[in-house]
Amino acid sequence: DQQVKQNSPSLSVQEGRISILNCDYTNSMFDYFLWYKKYPAEGPTFLISISSIKDKNEDGRFTVFLNKSAKHLSLHIVPSQPGDSAVYFCAARGGSNYKLTFGKGTLLTVNP
Amino acid sequence: DAGVIQSPRHEVTEMGQEVTLRCKPISGHNSLFWYRQTMMRGLELLIYFNNNVPIDDSGMPEDRFSAKMPNASFSTLKIQPSEPRDSAVYFCASSTGIGSGGYTFGSGTRLTVV
């Protein structure tokens, strides 16, 4: 049973445009959400997070939006740059549960 | 800080052989996690240590898998005997504790069992 779902395996956008990566979750106990970025042959690196008490968190070109009622979050990258090309993982954690549950990832390709 | 260090980066072994993956967490991090990444299942948590003590190994797929953390600066994940379906990328991650936001991952060990 996949509790964190990233339904788009891949996404391609033009440089300078907005990239929107989506993530859905099923476990209502999740209260903290994270996005990780992964380049080939490297481990995932933490990008941005959001607590369930917020609906938006912004860090430079990256913004994460959380819609608790829809159990949906999204990562917006504006403007997109070729260096943003990577696999993006959505992850979630619930309460005192230490576990991070990951989605399967979305491969973002930003074309020059 | 050198980050989380995993070795080896690549491992190719024959079915039935013992495989040992190694991890050195970031100094001062008291939580350590072993994850496995496959195309089918994505990133799965195998086991979690807190202060060198295994807290939850429910993600370990079979008794063929075992993990140890003899001290705060070293952990191993052992597969004995290995099988082709164990082929995957194995990541080690560490963090400062349950309350921290993110983990720091190592670069992973790509295991191929032939």
Side-chain angles (χ1 to χ4, degrees):
Chain A
D1 177 28
Q2 210 179 338
Q3 297 186 63
V4 178
K5 298 180 182 180
Q6 293 178 255
N7 292 320
S8 298
S10 63
L11 174 69
S12 182
V13 299
Q14 287 298 121
E15 181 178 5
R17 305 295 290 269
I18 184 171
S19 295
I20 301 176
L21 297 106
N22 294 303
C23 178
D24 297 296
Y25 62 95
T26 58
N27 190 338
S28 57
M29 296 300 293
F30 288 147
D31 63 358
Y32 199 78
F33 304 89
L34 307 91
W35 285 93
Y36 281 79
K37 177 178 177 180
K38 183 183 180 305
Y39 292 119
E42 295 183 9
T45 55
F46 171 70
L47 187 59
I48 192 169
S49 63
I50 188 167
S51 165
S52 61
I53 62 174
K54 296 185 176 181
D55 55 17
K56 177 183 174 180
N57 188 28
E58 191 172 355
D59 184 2
R61 296 185 298 114
F62 302 90
T63 303
V64 56
F65 294 92
L66 176 62
N67 183 333
K68 283 186 65 179
S69 61
K71 292 190 175 67
H72 177 83
L73 64 156
S74 60
L75 175 68
H76 292 209
I77 306 173
V78 183
S80 301
Q81 300 174 354
D84 297 329
S85 297
V87 176
Y88 289 78
F89 290 98
C90 171
R93 192 186 74 202
S96 60
N97 190 332
Y98 54 86
K99 289 183 183 180
L100 280 184
T101 300
F102 285 84
K104 290 191 177 180
T106 297
L107 173 63
L108 172 67
T109 303
V110 180
N111 301 302
Chain B
D1 194 334
V4 176
I5 300 173
Q6 291 187 245
S7 64
R9 289 299 306 273
H10 303 274
E11 177 79 37
V12 180
T13 190
E14 291 186 348
M15 182 174 62
Q17 296 297 306
E18 176 180 299
V19 175
T20 299
L21 312 181
R22 297 171 175 79
C23 175
K24 176 179 169 55
I26 291 175
S27 177
H29 283 192
N30 60 351
S31 298
L32 183 139
F33 309 83
W34 282 99
Y35 278 83
R36 177 172 70 174
Q37 184 187 16
T38 60
M39 289 295 291
M40 288 293 293
R41 302 175 68 87
L43 275 166
E44 305 173 90
L45 177 65
L46 300 178
I47 187 169
Y48 155 64
F49 291 87
N50 191 44
N51 293 324
N52 312 337
V53 176
I55 302 301
D56 184 354
D57 65 355
S58 61
M60 298 285 262
E62 301 171 35
D63 292 345
R64 298 185 295 105
F65 286 70
S66 62
K68 294 182 180 179
M69 192 165 185
N71 56 63
S73 59
F74 184 64
S75 176
T76 59
L77 178 67
K78 184 179 294 185
I79 308 172
Q80 165 64 17
S82 59
E83 296 183 3
R85 60 194 168 117
D86 301 331
S87 298
V89 181
Y90 291 81
F91 289 103
C92 175
S94 69
S95 77
T96 55
I98 293 175
S100 66
Y103 303 166
T104 301
F105 281 83
S107 297
T109 295
R110 180 173 293 278
L111 172 65
T112 303
V113 183
V114 298

